[in-house]
Amino acid sequence: MPLEDLRYAIRFCRKSPSFTLAVLLSLAIGIGANTAMFSVANALLLRPLPYGNADRLVILWNRSPGLDIAEDWFSTAQYFDVKSTQCFEQVALAIGGERKPDR
């Protein structure tokens, strides 16, 4: 029975090559998109970060409720203030791009 099904599928594909091409392109795009999304998710979410004790990493945000700012980058002076408190084993400053407000 499976051999007859395979023969029927081949005959059908030969009779309508445009439909066959559309199906193959749809499969290729779907498989490619799935592969790309999994690669990103694997790199960002599933693999551990390339740092020792990655589960202990934190990010600090500056808040300014009077200015209606919930998350803002630290200035260089604020960074040195936090670093001098000896509250953390190590402190690093990351220079990021401009954040857009969540409004």
Side-chain angles (χ1 to χ4, degrees), residues 61-74 78 103:
W61 292 105
N62 191 21
R63 295 184 125 189
S64 300
L67 300 174
D68 198 27
I69 299 174
E71 292 179 352
D72 195 12
W73 300 107
F74 277 27
Q78 290 169 323
R103 296 180 201 170

Side-chain angles (χ1 to χ4, degrees), residues 23-94:
V23 168
L24 290 176
L25 283 175
S26 296
L27 281 171
I29 290 171
I31 291 170
N34 259 336
T35 302
M37 287 190 307
F38 177 76
S39 296
V40 170
N42 186 34
L44 297 178
L45 302 174
L46 303 177
R47 285 191 188 160
L49 293 173
Y51 305 107
N53 299 325
D55 58 327
R56 297 182 63 196
L57 289 176
V58 296
I59 185 168
L60 301 176
W61 292 105
N62 191 21
R63 295 184 125 189
S64 300
L67 300 174
D68 198 27
I69 299 174
E71 292 179 352
D72 195 12
W73 300 107
F74 277 27
S75 68
T76 307
Q78 290 169 323
Y79 161 74
F80 284 113
D81 284 343
V82 170
K83 188 174 181 174
S84 67
T85 62
Q86 304 291 323
C87 292
F88 300 100
E89 260 181 51
Q90 294 180 355
V91 179
L93 182 65

